[in-house]
């Protein structure tokens, strides 16, 4: 890990920076004659494309413009800290302007909104309001978080908000991944990592840093903001703090985060401490530090963060036109996010935007699985674990701070916890990448959970399922390089795709390309023409297919040849064309010529009896193992060829010594077969 040397003297002088000079200035935009207010009563949803809109001034930026249109009417919405899962009758609560992370009893806090005030509008009102703000540059609603401001931090002044217009992340229809690997048609990946700093942490950090900005303007004693991190939280914290001119301090476990994650806070000017411990050790330190120094805690122990993160759930509903998916699968480490998703969905149900919530699945790496073990024990006593190294390094956490929140969320939505081994998560990541994504290992954990729940029949092929991708794959290139170079000990790296080294010679390149174009791998592309769905359980196995283009006519047949054949109708020739067959060559049909016959694709009839004498060792005693079949045939050259093929169809170099002693072909004596 790179070591960083920053001067500590300037950081710990505790001088408040001149905020005016540091404040981010959004770009100047032409001001349009749009009348709108922050309560959304007139949101200008259709104004930007109206021909009657005229630019009248150009000197205002979007923040100035929002300020000018600030509503004069009193804000009816509010929120407070209360003890998390407080017993009925509890009156303990705190203003969001207090610096407090724990309840009197030492438990977690939660941000409680005045739901009665929010209920003064019905679900349709909120749906329309949120929808009207998407895709605009209006400050601060251009952010997917602040477009739900009334449900996030209703009382903050728009001027105090520090935003990179985060959120509104892509909800990707994982069409090919779903169909190819899972037989699913309605699988989606919420790419929260396609974001300002490359992870979902931006959603929470815009809220937390905005509140810090407000506290500092109120002259509250907040000198800087600090976090422990496995890489993503620190990247988000440092970027948002840099944007607002607020010092940030990040504590990282040495050698346990990716280079891309490490360089983010360094580049954004954070004070970076690389500490020889794991994340749980760093978390303990930051808790102690923030209780001693005027440094505001930015980890999700601070419930403000979850107010931003919950908007990803609202956004998913919005992207489905307010239809509720059946499942949402979230990778889990420190476990704030699984609760944030639950809270977002629950608020939408309670406020009448939707009538139910999805079932949540929390997916953990098997090397850092305290929640999984807790779930498997029937939610008996929780025991932290020592988290072992995992490629899903951002969730290498053994003592998650939000364990109570996660258990609450999962129990209240009939949730499930799954785990993924290192090989499973890396394979799943590579499979997703092979279908056009570029996901992080944590998404591999979530996809593994999906594989397992599909194969157990818990998630049905038609269930609408969303996998939450938490970070950008580019943060984890080293893991991908190791995988594709097959450089990971004890891992088969089944889906690796290493580059082919070829000399700079036309013929050599052509040979390699011809090999590739004839490969099995490329033939699989027929899936773009046919939509295959394979189903298999204990009682039945079958597949169905349909044509993407209904103008095509096609038929499948299996006949006495032992081959399954797929024909397409050629309109020009008025005949069936053999499009695909498997096994491709007649002689590849298992035992087509019986136990001792010789199959030769190049002659008719294909099957012949061997001539001469063959002396061989026991065919089952060769190194390819009993799963391999031996076949032999005459090639056009007249030489005798032997091939050994295992059940997966891989051609193996035969180690079996089959000696062709005296073969007579056309009365000639041949020498050794072509081994
Ligand atoms: N994966 C996290 C770990 C800290 O979690 P947080 O949600 O409490 O910030 C990270 O990126 O640091």
């Amino acid at each position: 890990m790179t070591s960083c040397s920053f001067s500590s003297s300037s950081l710990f002088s505790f001088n408040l920076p001149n905020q005016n000079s540091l404040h981010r200035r959004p770009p100047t935009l032409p001001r349009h004659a749009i009348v709108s207010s922050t309560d959304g009563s007139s949101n200008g949803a259709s104004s930007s494309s109206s021909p009657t809109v005229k630019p009248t001034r150009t000197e205002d930026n979007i923040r100035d413009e929002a300020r000018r249109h600030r509503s004069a009417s009193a804000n009816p919405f509010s929120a407070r800290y209360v003890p998390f899962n407080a017993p009925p009758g509890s009156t303990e609560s705190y203003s969001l302007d207090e610096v407090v992370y724990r309840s009197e009893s030492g438990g977690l806090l939660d941000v409680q909104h005045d739901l009665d005030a929010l209920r003064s509008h019905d679900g349709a009102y909120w749906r329309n309001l949120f929808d009207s703000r998407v895709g605009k540059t209006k400050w601060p609603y251009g952010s997917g978080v602040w477009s739900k401001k009334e449900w996030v931090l209703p009382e903050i002044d728009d001027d105090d908000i520090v935003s990179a217009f985060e959120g509104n992340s892509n909800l990707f229809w994982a069409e090919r991944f779903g169909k190819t690997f899972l037989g699913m048609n309605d699988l989606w990946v919420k790419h929260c990592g396609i974001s300002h700093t490359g992870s979902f942490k931006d959603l929470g950090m815009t809220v937390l840093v905005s509140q810090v900005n407000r506290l500092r303007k109120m002259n509250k004693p907040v000198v800087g903001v600090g976090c422990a991190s496995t890489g993503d939280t620190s990247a988000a914290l440092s970027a948002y703090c840099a944007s607002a001119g607020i010092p940030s301090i990040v504590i990282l476990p040495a050698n346990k985060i990716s280079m891309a994650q490490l360089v983010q806070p360094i580049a954004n000017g954070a004070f970076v401490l690389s500490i020889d411990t794991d994340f749980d050790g760093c978390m303990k330190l930051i808790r102690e530090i923030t209780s001693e120094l005027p440094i505001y805690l930015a980890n999700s122990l601070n419930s403000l963060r979850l107010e931003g993160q919950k908007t990803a759930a609202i956004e998913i509903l919005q992207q489905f036109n307010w239809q509720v998916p059946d499942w949402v699968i979230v990778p889990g480490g420190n476990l704030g996010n699984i609760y944030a998703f639950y809270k977002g969905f629950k608020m939408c149900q309670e406020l009448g935007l939707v009538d139910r919530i999805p079932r949540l699945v929390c997916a953990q790496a098997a090397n850092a699985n305290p929640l999984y073990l807790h779930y498997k024990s029937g939610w008996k006593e929780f025991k932290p674990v020592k988290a072992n190294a995992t490629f899903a390094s951002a969730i290498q956490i053994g003592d998650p701070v939000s364990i109570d929140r996660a258990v609450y969320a999962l129990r209240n939505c009939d949730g499930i916890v799954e785990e993924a081994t290192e090989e499973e998560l890396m394979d799943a990541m590579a499979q997703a990448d092979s279908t056009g994504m570029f996901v992080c290992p944590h998404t591999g954990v979530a996809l593994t959970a999906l594989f397992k729940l599909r194969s157990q029949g818990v998630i049905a092929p038609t269930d609408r399922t969303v996998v939450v991708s938490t970070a950008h794959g580019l943060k984890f290139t080293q893991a991908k390089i190791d995988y594709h170079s097959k450089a990971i000990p004890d891992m088969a790296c089944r889906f690796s795709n290493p580059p082919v080294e070829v000399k700079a010679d036309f013929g050599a390149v052509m040979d390699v390309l011809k090999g590739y174009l004839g490969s099995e791998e490329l033939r699989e592309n027929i899936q773009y023409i046919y939509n295959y769905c394979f189903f298999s359980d204990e009682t039945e196995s079958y597949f169905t297919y349909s044509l993407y283009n209904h103008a095509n006519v096609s038929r499948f047949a299996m006949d006495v040849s032992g081959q399954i054949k797929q024909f397409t109708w050629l309109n020009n020739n008025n005949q069936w064309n053999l499009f695909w067959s498997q096994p491709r060559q007649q002689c590849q049909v298992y035992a087509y010529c019986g136990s001792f016959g010789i199959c030769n694709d190049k002659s008719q009839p294909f099957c012949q009896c061997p001539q001469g004498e063959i002396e061989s060792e026991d065919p089952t005693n060769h190194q390819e193992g009993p799963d391999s079949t031996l076949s032999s045939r005459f090639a056009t050259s007249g030489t005798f060829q032997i091939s050994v093929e295992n059940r997966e169809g891989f051609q193996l170099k035969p180690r079996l010594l089959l000696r062709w002693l005296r073969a007579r072909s056309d009365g000639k004596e041949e020498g050794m077969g072509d081994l």
Side-chain angles (χ1 to χ4, degrees):
M1 178 174 285
T2 311
S3 67
C4 327
S5 56
F6 287 91
S7 158
S8 57
S9 57
S10 60
L11 181 77
F12 287 100
S13 62
F14 295 151
N15 287 332
L16 287 175
N18 177 342
Q19 292 173 41
N20 288 339
S21 64
L22 290 168
H23 231 87
R24 209 164 59 87
R25 305 296 295 177
T28 297
L29 291 179
R31 177 185 163 232
H32 297 272
I34 303 169
V35 176
S36 60
S37 62
T38 51
D39 68 1
S41 54
S42 171
N43 49 52
S46 61
S47 304
S48 59
S49 57
S50 162
T52 60
V53 172
K54 292 196 187 80
T56 53
R57 286 167 51 168
T58 55
E59 68 270 29
D60 286 351
N61 60 45
I62 53 175
R63 202 191 282 273
D64 294 334
E65 188 175 333
R67 199 179 295 131
R68 223 183 20 261
H69 292 294
R70 191 177 295 167
S71 170
S73 54
N75 172 24
F77 307 115
S78 63
R80 298 179 66 74
Y81 292 123
V82 296
F84 171 74
N85 199 13
S90 163
T91 53
E92 187 183 342
S93 76
Y94 308 89
S95 156
L96 298 188
D97 293 333
E98 286 183 61
V99 178
V100 53
Y101 315 117
R102 288 278 188 187
S103 69
E104 267 167 15
S105 66
L108 294 162
L109 293 176
D110 197 19
V111 173
Q112 186 182 66
H113 290 263
D114 180 351
L115 289 183
D116 289 338
L118 293 171
R119 278 198 192 98
S120 62
H121 298 290
D122 65 7
Y125 169 88
W126 290 116
R127 286 196 302 259
N128 291 337
L129 178 64
F130 297 160
D131 286 349
S132 74
R133 291 170 173 170
V134 175
K136 309 286 184 340
T137 50
K138 186 171 162 55
W139 185 265
Y141 306 132
S143 156
V145 173
W146 297 106
S147 61
K148 287 110 192 156
K149 184 186 171 203
E150 295 82 354
W151 291 27
V152 174
L153 280 191
E155 290 158 285
I156 196 165
D157 194 299
D158 288 351
D159 251 3
D160 296 341
I161 288 175
V162 181
S163 169
F165 279 7
E166 51 291 307
N168 293 322
S169 60
N170 182 18
L171 182 59
F172 174 86
W173 179 33
E175 179 183 14
R176 188 162 163 239
F177 184 88
K179 286 175 181 166
T180 309
F181 300 118
L182 292 150
M184 294 179 83
N185 246 331
D186 207 0
L187 174 64
W188 301 76
V189 176
K190 176 69 173 163
H191 279 299
C192 293
I194 302 180
S195 179
H196 183 60
T197 69
S199 87
F200 73 98
K201 305 285 180 179
D202 293 343
L203 304 175
M205 212 51 83
T206 180
V207 176
L208 184 132
V209 174
S210 297
Q211 179 65 11
V212 171
N213 201 25
R214 170 182 164 95
L215 295 178
R216 283 161 61 93
K217 286 187 181 179
M218 295 165 89
N219 289 323
K220 298 265 180 178
V222 178
V223 173
V225 192
C227 73
S229 183
T230 52
D232 292 329
T233 298
S234 47
L237 175 65
S238 52
Y240 281 84
C241 280
S243 176
I246 298 171
S248 61
I249 301 102
V250 307
I251 298 189
L252 307 175
N255 301 319
K256 291 190 177 64
I257 69 170
S258 76
M259 197 54 79
Q261 289 173 310
L262 173 63
V263 80
Q264 288 183 285
I266 291 173
N268 284 141
F271 188 70
V272 180
L273 300 173
S274 175
I275 300 193
D276 186 19
T277 180
D278 54 11
F279 171 81
D280 296 303
C282 293
M283 189 68 219
K284 186 166 173 292
L285 281 169
I286 195 74
R287 282 166 73 163
E288 289 162 358
I289 290 163
T290 51
S291 66
E292 289 291 321
L293 295 174
I295 295 174
Y296 194 76
L297 178 66
N299 282 103
S300 58
L301 177 66
N302 186 328
S303 47
L304 275 181
R305 279 261 314 278
L306 307 183
E307 291 309 290
Q309 289 171 212
K310 81 181 180 198
T311 61
I314 306 170
E315 209 169 271
I316 288 172
L317 297 175
Q318 195 169 14
Q319 286 167 314
F320 285 134
N321 204 17
W322 303 102
Q323 287 175 351
V324 183
D326 299 300
W327 298 92
V328 175
I329 307 178
V330 187
N334 221 13
L335 299 180
N337 213 24
I338 186 80
Y339 177 70
F341 270 91
Y342 170 79
K343 190 170 183 186
F345 287 125
K346 197 69 192 163
M347 271 185 90
C348 286
Q349 184 190 26
E350 287 179 346
L351 292 168
L353 284 75
V354 294
D355 58 6
R356 65 184 179 97
I357 65 170
R359 288 180 72 183
L360 297 178
V361 178
C362 189
Q364 293 212 295
N367 280 358
N369 62 354
L371 181 72
Y372 176 77
L373 296 177
H374 190 31
Y375 170 76
K376 282 289 174 190
S377 75
W379 302 123
K380 299 220 176 71
E381 196 196 348
F382 173 74
K383 291 196 195 82
V385 300
K386 169 88 188 138
N388 292 314
T390 167
F391 282 104
S393 54
I395 54 175
Q396 188 184 331
I397 297 171
D399 192 6
V401 297
S402 285
I403 180 68
D404 293 346
R405 292 175 176 140
V407 173
Y408 179 91
L410 289 161
R411 296 187 83 155
N412 281 285
C413 71
D414 196 13
I416 293 175
V417 188
E418 257 302 346
E419 67 169 1
T421 65
E422 292 303 289
E423 182 149 19
E424 286 168 341
L425 72 92
M426 290 298 276
D427 280 349
M429 176 181 76
Q431 285 171 282
D433 289 356
S434 76
T435 63
M437 292 180 258
F438 195 76
V439 298
C440 64
H442 322 89
T443 311
V445 174
L447 290 170
T448 302
L450 173 60
F451 275 123
K452 291 185 175 177
L453 295 171
R454 269 291 292 120
S455 71
Q456 291 160 18
V458 177
I459 296 184
T462 51
D463 284 355
R464 173 169 283 180
T465 304
V466 180
V467 170
V468 175
S469 177
T470 45
H472 202 295
L474 283 171
K475 289 190 175 197
F476 299 92
T477 45
Q478 191 57 51
K480 289 175 189 280
I481 290 167
D482 291 348
Y483 183 89
H484 288 288
S485 330
K486 288 185 175 266
I488 305 173
D490 303 323
M491 199 180 283
C493 305
R494 288 188 298 141
F495 304 98
S496 66
N497 178 31
V500 180
E501 286 180 22
V502 201
K503 60 180 180 189
D505 171 76
F506 177 72
V509 174
M510 284 296 281
D511 284 350
V512 169
L513 280 176
K514 281 181 194 162
Y516 169 66
L517 293 176
S519 68
E520 196 67 46
E521 188 183 342
L522 213 68
R523 278 172 216 281
E524 283 173 9
N525 282 340
I526 58 172
Q527 289 177 63
Y528 290 117
I529 300 166
Y530 294 95
N531 175 12
Y532 294 102
C533 181
F534 178 68
F535 179 84
S536 186
D537 69 8
E538 282 160 12
T539 54
E540 57 183 344
S541 294
Y542 63 84
F543 84 96
T544 59
Y545 75 97
S546 61
L547 285 151
Y548 285 120
N549 182 349
H550 295 292
N552 292 336
V553 178
S554 166
R555 69 184 168 90
F556 255 87
M558 184 188 270
D559 58 24
V560 287
S561 69
Q563 290 165 293
I564 184 162
K565 294 176 179 165
Q566 190 168 25
F567 299 91
T568 48
W569 181 251
L570 299 180
N571 280 328
N572 290 345
N573 309 353
N574 270 344
Q575 64 182 34
W576 290 103
N577 171 49
L578 180 62
F579 178 78
W580 173 89
S581 66
Q582 201 55 248
R584 275 198 303 287
Q585 287 164 3
Q586 184 64 78
C587 287
Q588 288 176 326
V589 173
Y590 177 71
Y592 183 68
C593 295
S595 303
F596 301 108
I598 295 174
C599 188
N600 183 355
D601 280 318
K602 305 274 177 341
S603 69
Q604 289 282 2
F606 294 143
C607 294
Q608 294 168 3
C609 290
Q611 296 172 9
E613 301 165 51
I614 296 176
E615 185 180 276
S616 78
E617 291 179 347
D618 177 0
T620 58
N621 191 26
H622 57 81
Q623 290 184 27
E624 280 75 28
D627 278 358
S628 304
T629 60
L630 174 74
S631 66
S632 52
R633 63 186 173 89
F634 282 98
T636 41
S637 64
T639 55
F640 189 69
Q641 295 187 334
I642 299 166
S643 69
V644 178
E645 194 170 288
N646 73 6
R647 281 197 186 146
E648 278 106 35
F650 289 108
Q651 290 285 339
L652 303 172
K653 191 170 175 205
R655 294 190 187 89
L656 167 68
L657 176 64
L658 176 66
R659 297 188 61 210
W660 178 242
L661 288 179
R662 306 181 92 204
R664 285 192 189 89
S665 174
D666 300 327
K668 264 194 331 212
E669 192 167 292
E670 293 283 334
M672 289 290 285
D674 182 5
L675 297 178

